[in-house]
Amino acid sequence: MKPSAWRAALRIARRDAARAKGRSALVLAMIALPVLGVAGVDVIARSTQLEPAEKAARAMGTAPAAVTMSSRGGTALQTPDGSENTVTTAAEGQAQTPEQQRSASTDPAQLLTELLPGAVLVPDGMYQSASATTAEGRMTVMAAEADLTDPVWHGKLNVVEGAAPTQPDQIAATRGFLKRAGLRIGDRTAFRGLEARPYTITAVAEDPARLDQVMLYGRPGAVVQPLAQADTDGTDGVPRNGDSWLVKLPGGAQLDWAGVKRLNDYGFTAVSRDVLLHPPARSEVPYYAQQDQYPSYVNRSVLAVAALVPGMALLEIVLLAGPAFAVGARRSRRQLGLLAAGGGDRSHVRAVVLAGGAVLGAGGAVLGLIGGVGLVAVLREQLEGYGGQRFGHFDVQPLDLLGVAMVGLVTGLLAAVVPAVQASRQDVVEALTGRGGSKPANRIVAVLGAVMVAGGTGLALLCAITNTAPVPGLLGGSVIAELGMLLCTPLLIGLFGRLGRHLPLSPRLALRDSVRNRGRTAPAVAAVMAAVAGAVAVGIYHASDVERQRQDYRPTLPAGAVALFESGRSDGDAGRFAALRDAAEKDLGTLGERADVLSPTAVPGDCRASYRCGFVQALKAPDKRCPAQDATTHEQRQQAMADPRCTSTRGMPTDLTSMFGDVVIGDGALLRNLLDVRDPAAEQALAAGKALVFRPDHVTDGKVALRAEEQPTQAQMDAGEYRGTTHDVTVDAVEVHSPLPFATVVLSREAAQRAGLGIRSEGALWKPAAAPSDGRVQKATDHLSRLDDTVHLEAEQGFHPQRDILTIGLTAFAALVALGAAGIATGLAAADSQQDLATLAAVGASGGIRRRLSGFQCGVIAAMGAVLGLLCGTVPAVALRLLEARNATVWINGVPSGHEKAVIAVPWLELGGLLVGLPLVAVLLAALLTRSRIGLTRRAG
């Protein structure tokens, strides 16, 4: 065709789109929506990808480098940007290198200044966990130190409001702290242990890389060390991450890659501005050479989801927009017939319909691009807050957006291809007179479609089960199966038509009309099928995920029970906890009898609420205990797992357990509230000093073995031993049956002390007659967190599924598309039924009969599409669940023990509602939009 013919076709298509505003708006929306989403995601992704200078500012402010001691006495390997690193030390029996010896024997700060002569070290990253006062109580916060008047912090830690602290009693806070604490600039806050020296908040500080953190920044020397001296807990009293510095080099010098590798030899890792701006070649990075020796692991199910969701969504849009173009072609049938009668050949007719796809595809692409970029610009502040980091800069990549726009244009053209071919093949006389013949279904095409359905389904399931080529397998198999079902549609419509003899008049006429006009019915059925397939796939996947969560769910308390847990700090104030306990009882109403819960510790004495005293666990009888439980190394555990006694540990744990632990200390109230045991004999045995055991295989000769394990010392952790010293004790025991075995062993306080064990306070437990409402629990939790957020309130309210924003978005999109498909079915049926409705009016049919006929025509289309969509949507959902299970490894005692079992659940109620509800929506739409009065159309011949 000549360019002038294309220009004419485009003008005709543009005018036709302007005349049919509703249909054009529907197609534009379907094309613009995915373009908007992809364009928005592209702008966000590009904006969060920092340029080298932006990376340098966030890593080191204005300093030339940021250095961290990763391992004293070790050797580090790192990436040029410092995001990944490994550390190696001399193997047992192997001599250390001179650099490792020097690193182990020299203070890190002193060593760094020796390696970088003239460097000025600014401590960075040293912080201390503390409890700070708020407007209503206390909350846990991380306290750090930084001289924010020093320009070296600019870009890494910015003062965005107020003035930087200049005095020891001044402090800067993040917005996260101010929001939770209910404070503002000018207010004062004090740390636990330093109540006599409160700090005045003078500024709002912001780390662009971590907007959601809750931090307080004081002057150097004014916060961390005083807190460490005031903290009576040995672990909390040690400042964390104290071996990191921002490094200022003399004379504007820079740290090059050779200098970074030299620091690596001494166990340092470094991020250098010069290296970020001028990165070395990959061959010059030892870290990459080391990593290339190991195979990389990729979770293929994640890649499959990333390909399957947009791929199936694009297919849905093409199948949905295609019938919309078919509506236009049907309504323009006479116009296209005149074009053919006036000398236009088939290529001209095709060009007019394809031009419609190009016009609407380009329009949808432009609208989507403008909407996507505009939304990101308008919602930038909210997006940064949701993502927890600032954009480097608002980055719009023209080539990226051009590619996204081409997707919209190609989508419009693909959707118009089939209607264009059909329009070009119509008989001119039939087009001018409005008549059309009925063509039988092509059985060869139907057989090919059936083969594609079977082959596509088999391909998707096989690739999922074997984890072989899952991305092309799942996407290709699902697409092939859906396209195969599309080819089968004309023949299946004929089979559906055989049900007409069993239906009343109006639906029987509608069904026979659908069979007679397969050319109009098939595209509409395909549109509904595509929409329902997406909704079914999302529904089955979501229902399966919820069922998996339900199977994995283990209650931590009896149903309806309420527990208040203490903080686990050695400085826990018993009087303050009693006040918090009273506040919880007041907020939640009548809770009934209270049980005070204690637990034994490895260190004798009263440990209050501290975890520093270790813990105690119950042991099975030696002849029934899995040897892996006593193993100390990974190799020993792996060998022990072959023992028959470890069979029960190879699956997921099924025993009930509470947040109070395996072994607890209490009285009769604890037995009633936690274990639902109301046996006077059990209470007498407990008072007599015996241990009550609620699980089998633990009592041997009237005794139960308990293993007490202390917290590992710093020397043990430095040596790579993360398990503390253990010793076993035995206690006289009786086995008791419990309907709710939320603990293995219950001791009395006296029995624990006689066994040489300590006592730790865990909290309080209530078992009210009626569980408190979720609203009351939320209000009580909020109140307690404002008073002191180191305590935790828990109410067992049963299983509640977790819903992520992606699933919610996909569900909403599927529902929207399904409604759009019902609208398409309505429009397409109405476009072809005008002549039939006019004939009914001519013979005296009432408006109600015409509306019912039109409604049932649309309902028949929606019903057929829903049934076929149900079959198509099952394939990707089931295949994806199988693939996810295949890629999920179960680890038991540090040993891989196979893959997870695939959980597939079908939401029968929701699918039934979809199969019934969608046709009803189509019937109502058509009945409402069909006019009671209709003018007679002109008939030729």
Side-chain angles (χ1 to χ4, degrees):
M1 287 178 56
K2 295 181 180 180
S4 59
W6 278 109
R7 286 196 297 270
L10 289 171
R11 282 199 303 271
I12 295 173
R14 179 179 57 81
R15 291 170 181 171
D16 182 63
R19 281 195 302 269
K21 293 182 175 60
R23 172 171 51 84
S24 300
L26 179 64
V27 177
L28 284 173
M30 286 191 294
I31 295 175
L33 186 62
V35 172
L36 182 148
V38 176
V41 170
D42 180 79
V43 173
I44 293 173
R46 290 291 188 177
S47 299
T48 54
Q49 291 176 358
L50 305 181
E51 299 290 338
E54 295 166 345
K55 289 182 180 179
R58 295 195 182 181
M60 64 201 73
T62 60
V67 181
T68 298
M69 170 52 76
S70 293
S71 175
R72 295 187 64 177
T75 300
L77 298 178
Q78 67 167 82
T79 57
D81 62 358
S83 59
E84 300 177 36
N85 67 81
T86 60
V87 176
T88 58
T89 56
E92 186 175 354
Q94 181 181 359
Q96 289 183 319
T97 65
E99 292 83 359
Q100 291 174 334
Q101 294 176 0
R102 186 178 176 187
S103 171
S105 60
T106 309
D107 177 75
Q110 178 184 345
L111 176 60
L112 187 57
T113 54
E114 292 174 359
L115 296 175
L116 301 174
V120 177
L121 307 185
V122 179
D124 170 40
M126 182 182 293
Y127 59 89
Q128 174 75 17
S129 175
S131 177
T133 57
T134 65
E136 298 189 40
R138 287 187 172 276
M139 64 177 289
T140 302
V141 65
M142 289 297 175
E145 294 178 348
D147 182 5
L148 297 180
T149 62
D150 189 340
V152 74
W153 293 100
H154 182 70
K156 179 178 176 63
L157 189 61
N158 302 319
V159 175
V160 295
E161 188 178 342
T166 57
Q167 301 298 324
D169 62 347
Q170 295 178 344
I171 205 164
T174 61
R175 294 192 190 277
F177 173 81
L178 295 178
K179 182 178 180 180
R180 288 188 55 192
L183 301 177
R184 57 186 178 181
I185 293 177
D187 292 337
R188 310 182 83 184
T189 184
F191 297 111
R192 189 192 299 271
L194 299 177
E195 289 84 354
R197 46 179 299 184
Y199 296 82
T200 301
I201 301 173
T202 64
V204 176
E206 177 185 280
D207 183 345
R210 294 177 295 175
L211 299 179
D212 54 353
Q213 64 180 353
V214 178
M215 294 283 294
L216 291 173
Y217 296 95
R219 296 280 303 171
V223 175
V224 174
Q225 197 59 37
L227 279 173
Q229 295 172 353
D231 200 320
T232 58
D233 192 317
T235 299
D236 292 343
V238 179
R240 296 163 174 81
N241 197 24
D243 291 334
S244 295
W245 305 269
L246 303 182
V247 180
K248 301 179 182 179
L249 297 176
Q254 295 291 328
L255 183 65
D256 58 13
W257 179 237
V260 171
K261 290 195 292 183
R262 182 166 179 259
L263 292 177
N264 291 161
D265 294 338
Y266 292 88
F268 292 102
T269 56
V271 183
S272 165
R273 184 180 303 275
D274 182 69
V275 172
L276 288 175
L277 296 177
H278 308 95
R282 183 180 179 88
S283 59
E284 298 179 18
V285 182
Y287 174 86
Y288 292 142
Q290 181 193 61
Q291 295 301 308
D292 289 342
Q293 300 175 4
Y294 305 103
S296 59
Y297 171 75
V298 177
N299 191 332
R300 297 183 176 183
S301 63
V302 175
L303 297 179
V305 171
L308 192 62
V309 171
M312 295 302 292
L314 185 61
L315 177 62
E316 278 191 26
I317 292 168
V318 171
L319 294 180
L320 284 168
F325 286 111
V327 171
R330 291 281 177 175
R331 289 182 173 174
S332 304
R333 183 163 42 182
R334 181 173 175 81
Q335 173 185 310
L336 296 175
L338 289 173
L339 177 63
D345 56 20
R346 290 186 174 184
S347 62
H348 293 99
V349 177
R350 284 196 300 268
V352 170
V353 181
L354 286 174
V359 168
L360 294 179
V366 172
L367 289 177
L369 290 181
I370 295 174
V373 176
L375 277 177
V376 174
V378 171
L379 301 177
R380 176 175 179 174
E381 189 77 19
Q382 291 80 0
L383 291 170
E384 289 176 336
Y386 182 80
Q389 62 177 336
R390 295 289 181 202
F391 290 173
H393 59 287
F394 192 76
D395 192 356
V396 178
Q397 292 288 332
L399 291 179
D400 288 4
L401 299 185
L402 180 61
V404 174
M406 289 302 298
V407 171
L409 178 60
V410 170
T411 301
L413 288 174
L414 288 176
V417 167
V418 174
V421 173
Q422 290 176 341
S424 67
R425 291 179 177 178
Q426 68 180 347
D427 184 83
V428 176
V429 176
E430 290 180 353
L432 293 176
T433 58
R435 298 170 179 166
S438 176
K439 296 180 181 180
N442 191 319
R443 295 184 179 273
I444 297 178
V445 173
V447 171
L448 176 62
V451 172
M452 291 176 64
V453 170
T457 302
L459 175 64
L461 296 180
L462 180 63
C463 291
I465 294 173
T466 61
N467 201 23
T468 304
V471 174
L474 264 68
L475 179 58
S478 301
V479 170
I480 291 172
E482 192 160 335
L483 292 178
M485 190 67 75
L486 181 64
L487 295 180
C488 295
T489 301
L491 182 63
L492 294 175
I493 291 173
L495 297 179
F496 278 114
R498 297 182 180 181
L499 300 175
R501 69 187 69 176
H502 306 294
L503 300 176
L505 178 61
S506 293
R508 184 166 68 248
L509 290 176
L511 190 56
R512 289 177 178 175
D513 178 72
S514 298
V515 175
R516 187 173 63 252
N517 296 285
R518 286 189 178 94
R520 174 248 293 169
T521 306
V525 170
V528 179
M529 180 190 73
V532 173
V536 168
V538 173
I540 293 178
Y541 180 85
H542 177 61
S544 302
D545 186 61
V546 170
E547 180 60 27
R548 181 192 58 79
Q549 295 178 36
R550 191 189 310 277
Q551 293 180 8
D552 293 344
Y553 176 72
R554 297 291 179 268
T556 56
L557 295 171
V562 177
L564 185 66
F565 299 91
E566 293 202 47
S567 63
R569 293 176 58 92
S570 63
D571 59 354
D573 187 345
R576 181 167 181 80
F577 180 75
L580 294 170
R581 187 179 59 205
D582 294 340
E585 291 179 326
K586 182 178 179 181
D587 291 339
L588 294 174
T590 304
L591 294 178
E593 182 183 28
R594 187 189 78 236
D596 294 322
V597 187
L598 309 171
S599 66
T601 63
V603 178
D606 184 2
C607 286
R608 289 180 286 176
S610 174
Y611 297 136
R612 289 280 300 159
C613 297
F615 63 94
V616 175
Q617 63 175 328
L619 299 177
K620 282 188 175 184
D623 60 329
K624 298 177 181 178
R625 185 163 68 239
C626 171
Q629 191 171 357
D630 299 321
T632 58
T633 66
H634 176 74
E635 291 75 14
Q636 291 176 351
R637 276 193 295 273
Q638 199 164 18
Q639 293 174 0
M641 286 300 292
D643 192 286
R645 290 171 293 179
C646 299
T647 302
S648 61
T649 66
R650 291 182 191 139
M652 295 298 292
T654 57
D655 287 341
L656 295 174
T657 182
S658 76
M659 296 178 67
F660 292 115
D662 182 47
V663 182
V664 293
I665 297 173
D667 53 14
L670 178 64
L671 296 180
R672 290 185 289 273
N673 289 357
L674 181 64
L675 300 157
D676 198 23
V677 172
R678 306 178 186 277
D679 183 0
E683 294 187 27
Q684 293 174 3
L686 183 65
K690 294 195 174 187
L692 305 185
V693 181
F694 298 93
R695 290 185 182 136
D697 302 335
H698 284 76
V699 178
T700 303
D701 298 329
K703 295 184 180 295
V704 62
L706 304 177
R707 174 163 295 170
E709 181 172 331
E710 300 179 11
Q711 286 287 96
T713 64
Q714 188 63 44
Q716 287 175 316
M717 290 190 290
D718 290 342
E721 293 288 338
Y722 294 97
R723 296 189 61 179
T725 303
T726 64
H727 65 277
D728 294 348
V729 298
T730 58
V731 181
D732 292 337
V734 292
E735 191 167 327
V736 181
H737 171 71
S738 168
L740 299 173
F742 278 97
T744 301
V745 176
V746 175
L747 299 168
S748 65
R749 177 188 288 266
E750 294 76 13
Q753 291 173 339
R754 282 199 303 270
L757 303 175
I759 306 295
R760 174 173 49 233
S761 177
E762 295 287 351
L765 176 67
W766 299 267
K767 186 65 169 64
S773 65
D774 185 58
R776 298 196 73 168
V777 172
Q778 290 181 16
K779 290 181 180 178
T781 301
D782 182 62
H783 183 205
L784 291 172
S785 67
R786 292 198 303 269
L787 296 175
D788 190 337
D789 71 343
T790 60
V791 297
H792 173 64
L793 180 68
E794 181 78 14
E796 181 53 54
Q797 297 174 312
F799 170 72
H800 293 282
Q802 298 179 352
R803 305 182 187 275
D804 59 90
I805 190 170
L806 177 61
T807 302
I808 294 173
L810 288 176
T811 304
F813 179 74
L816 180 65
V817 169
L819 291 176
I824 290 173
T826 300
L828 193 55
D832 252 7
S833 62
Q834 292 300 313
Q835 183 174 323
D836 295 335
L837 295 177
T839 302
L840 286 174
V843 298
S846 65
I849 292 178
R850 296 196 301 272
R851 282 195 297 271
R852 284 196 298 273
L853 178 61
S854 180
F856 280 117
Q857 284 177 328
C858 297
V860 165
I861 292 173
M864 289 188 288
V867 172
L868 299 181
L870 176 63
L871 301 176
C872 291
T874 304
V875 175
V878 172
L880 191 56
R881 293 299 303 178
L882 292 173
L883 180 65
E884 287 183 340
R886 181 65 175 76
N887 281 271
T889 303
V890 177
W891 294 80
I892 303 296
N893 289 331
V895 179
S897 301
H899 304 285
E900 286 187 1
K901 180 181 178 181
V903 178
I904 300 173
V906 180
W908 297 108
L909 183 62
E910 290 80 357
L911 295 184
L914 182 64
L915 291 177
V916 175
L918 193 62
L920 286 179
V921 170
V923 169
L924 293 175
L925 281 175
L928 291 174
L929 297 178
T930 300
R931 292 178 294 178
S932 298
R933 295 182 179 180
I934 187 168
L936 296 180
T937 59
R938 177 175 59 84
R939 298 179 64 90

